[in-house]
Amino acid sequence: MKKNTIKMFRIYTLLLLLAGFAAAFTPQSNSPLAKHEHPRMHITPETIPHWRTVLSEKYRSEYQDYVNWAADMDDNDSYNILSESGHDPLRAVMVHQAFIAAIGVVTGINYPIPIERYAQRAINSLIRRLDAGDNLSYVAALTYDWTYNFMTDDQRRQIADLMRDRPITHKVFNFSLSNPQVTPEQMFSSKYFEGCYPWYIGLAFWGDGLIDSEADRSLDTFASEMLNYGYLDALNFVAGNTGGWSEWIGYSSWHPRTHMLNVDAWYTATGQDYLSHQSTVNGNALANYPTFMFHVLDPHKYFNEDYSYMRLGTGETTDASFAHRSMREQMFLLPRLLNQVGLSERAGLLRHLIDRYDVKFPSYKHHYLWAFLGLARSIPEVTPQEIKLPLSVWSKNLGVFSARTGYDNPADGVFIAMDGHFHYEGHGGPDDTPGFALAKFGELANIRNVAHRGYGNLDSYPGAHKLNIIYFANGHERTHRTLADPDQLKQAVSGQGDYDWGGIEQISQRPGVFYHVKDNRNRMFSDGVRHVREYVWLPGQTPQTDSDFLVVFDRTSAPDRAEWVFHVPWKPQALGYDSKEDIATGSGTSDRIGTAYLGQGVIIKELNGLGGPQDGPGGDGDYVGGGGAHGVLFCKSLIPQQVRIEATRVAEFDKSVLKRQHELAIKSHRWQISIKPQTFDAHQRFLTVFQMADANKVQNMTDVQRIHSGQTMQGVFIRRENANRPNYVVLFFNDDTLNGGIITYNLPANGRTVHVITGLKSNTVYNIKEMADGQTETQIARTETDIEKWDYKGAAANPPTEGVLYFETDLQNPATISLVPYGANDSKPPAKPKGLRLK
């Protein structure tokens, strides 16, 4: 008995010892980790033949320049270091030499030095910088992995020993392979994107028999740091199934690159696919990135050179540019990542974007690697039309709705509404910049901003604002909690905690005809202040010739005056005013210049090709023109009837503005338009109409008239701009409830007319009577069914669905329209029946 006990104890002790050497992490079978193969990060033995073929056939010229450069570079170059993890994480010469070695001989390439020499120089540089005390980042892991097959056992051991306890570059955490565990924080900002993680370094060493225990513990942290509401989940939560980044667009011009490296290296090494699959939460940032890019494209090519995205968020204007080198790097990197996991359509869509929108190949040799890692040229193009990409998208958790007239046409119009229910701690994105944006042959309206961190003095004068929203005299704003760490994200996903700020609440649409956006901002205010905004965007059918229209209706309740604000690039004109006054306060950097226009039905006209003062230093002012933009925006205020419209700008730009008067200064939207009621109303309503068109074809705003149905419905009649276009009627309910009654209004013109009636009860059938010249035509229509809603998780009840009714008429004379919901008592006798149409 005693002998058996001793024997069992020895066996148990042996198992414990063996467990110390065994790896707890289990990669998928046949993965490079499972087979203990190198290279394994981004490149694998199985994919090297494909890489050689593509580099030979699709990138031969660039790759030849690259191998020449890597051979000629001084290994003691000041950037040949290990610690860079943020703005240029793959700059070090050694990682490029290691890549060339890992790929091996490519047909058609003349190598100035042997492949083995590239490898040895990279190995020597890695050891030299480790000896010099460099902290670790991406370059250290990749150089080791990509040159592993060229190393001696002594070199491998030496490198592993030096990296075991070496700190890994990070903005906040003090960690290493031997001390890898951290709790994620500020998951939506630089604290994730501009640092490397122990599990990434551990991928290079796992199973090599050198520092297996440390590598294994590091890989175990992937689940706690990336999943379980960690970094990967956080980004996927923001994107959902429609795409988007919390910092769009600013720091997101370069931050996604490291996320791509992280998720791709994990996949190629372990076989676990988070590129196309969901993580703990519903959504995937990388899989949906290409479609999101197309949804928020600015179709205009500024200065016949610069394509860009629509300006969202608080980044520098050039962050939106396709000339931004880090934006190009992520565009070039992503296609292979998606293609390798079966997302060939998404990869092909990105290839089409690169070609169609003239995304230039990286300028510097040390940036070529991003393109070589992405192999975009090996993937067949796929157009948005081929995959029937919808013309609109609501990225719910990002808080962005985008609609457009089409893709790949420089005349396409774009409408974007921004208002996010969640606010993400970090650098400003759409969640921090509610409002709207419009584009037609260049941006025409957007938020005002110069660059991140509040650079510039554009809003440093009396009465200045930054956003395209309603401002109340005494603010009345309340704050909710922002999202930053895993526990907070987990609560928000399940509807717990005070994280919902209010925002876009419902989308109703008939694609290509109208888009209705309801933005409920009530949660953002205290003291009983209420504000609900509704947009109806009416896109033209033929972008080259047709105008787009946007109708905006605001219902407010506040104890003090409300001010309706939007911003335009350059100094606007005013038309139809009764009087005006100069409201300049001086000529300094904190003073204001501008004019107030008073009257009824005042029209503001903005030409985005006009340009502004060319007062920048060093010739930078030459960029302040419209960049070839030739759009025109008209804005007419119908409610309040008597308004004071102020067009203002800071009198003198400070150095931060002047320094940034570059090729996309148009997107900073320097001029502010403020619509102010001349009399106070505690329940103020605003009705505002925009027309966007080609300035070369349209000089005047089409006829726009206010219409109403008694005291319950307010709206607008937009007269057709030519014989090929319809008239438009758009009506809104005057209260925050829903209208279940009869609606009657006068139609002041004949011809084809599109009617969009909002504020109704949903799933309701209407008997539509068109009464003219003593006769009645009747048709039946049901409120729209193409509806998306926000889910107020955790709330006692979600608000009722708002019904939107669409129908068309084609009358020869002005008429009275009556909308009778079935079941309602219509006491008005009909005119003589003429016909019945079912819709």
Side-chain angles (χ1 to χ4, degrees), residues 248-268:
W248 191 272
I249 182 169
Y251 284 72
S252 57
S253 58
W254 62 80
H255 277 171
R257 299 169 305 156
T258 49
H259 182 60
M260 293 174 189
L261 290 177
N262 289 343
V263 181
D264 182 49
W266 187 261
Y267 169 72
T268 59

Side-chain angles (χ1 to χ4, degrees), residues 188-262:
F188 306 94
S189 72
S190 302
K191 288 189 178 181
Y192 167 61
F193 292 106
E194 295 185 24
C196 193
Y197 288 81
W199 61 261
Y200 187 94
I201 308 289
L203 287 172
F205 288 98
W206 191 90
D208 287 349
L210 299 170
I211 48 174
D212 285 356
S213 177
E214 290 83 356
D216 188 68
R217 289 202 306 272
S218 295
L219 265 61
D220 282 341
T221 65
F222 182 90
S224 60
E225 293 173 9
M226 300 296 285
L227 307 177
N228 297 302
Y229 303 99
Y231 294 111
L232 177 61
D233 286 344
L235 302 184
N236 288 348
F237 174 76
V238 174
N241 291 309
T242 49
W245 301 86
S246 61
E247 301 171 311
W248 191 272
I249 182 169
Y251 284 72
S252 57
S253 58
W254 62 80
H255 277 171
R257 299 169 305 156
T258 49
H259 182 60
M260 293 174 189
L261 290 177
N262 289 343

Side-chain angles (χ1 to χ4, degrees), residues 457-458 586-593 615 649-655 657-658:
N457 69 331
L458 292 187
S587 58
T589 56
S590 296
D591 290 314
R592 173 184 70 202
I593 58 173
D615 48 6
R649 197 207 78 181
V650 69
E652 181 182 350
F653 299 136
D654 66 11
K655 292 181 180 179
V657 175
L658 296 178

Side-chain angles (χ1 to χ4, degrees), residues 62-183:
E62 293 89 349
Y63 197 63
Q64 182 65 68
D65 292 342
Y66 181 70
V67 300
N68 292 344
W69 166 82
D72 292 341
M73 278 296 294
D74 183 356
D75 289 347
N76 290 309
D77 178 76
S78 59
Y79 287 101
N80 199 16
I81 57 176
L82 303 178
S83 57
E84 172 61 34
S85 65
H87 290 205
D88 214 349
L90 300 182
R91 179 159 184 172
V93 178
M94 70 181 82
V95 78
H96 304 283
Q97 295 165 336
F99 176 80
I100 294 167
I103 295 298
V105 176
V106 173
T107 301
I109 299 299
N110 297 314
Y111 294 88
I113 59 176
I115 291 292
E116 294 75 13
R117 181 61 182 150
Y118 286 101
Q120 199 55 54
R121 288 175 60 181
I123 295 166
N124 292 341
S125 293
L126 175 58
I127 294 172
R128 183 177 67 254
R129 295 312 309 173
L130 288 170
D131 285 339
D134 284 5
N135 287 348
L136 308 182
S137 189
Y138 295 94
V139 165
L142 294 178
T143 302
Y144 172 84
D145 177 48
W146 289 350
T147 62
Y148 178 90
N149 296 322
F150 297 88
M151 290 180 185
T152 65
D153 288 341
D154 288 343
Q155 287 173 325
R156 293 169 188 154
R157 170 60 65 186
Q158 180 183 8
I159 292 169
D161 288 344
L162 286 168
M163 291 176 66
R164 181 199 310 267
D165 301 313
R166 187 64 55 87
I168 297 170
T169 301
H170 200 277
K171 283 181 171 291
V172 178
F173 301 129
N174 180 17
F175 53 16
S176 63
L177 287 172
S178 60
N179 179 33
Q181 190 68 51
V182 296
T183 299

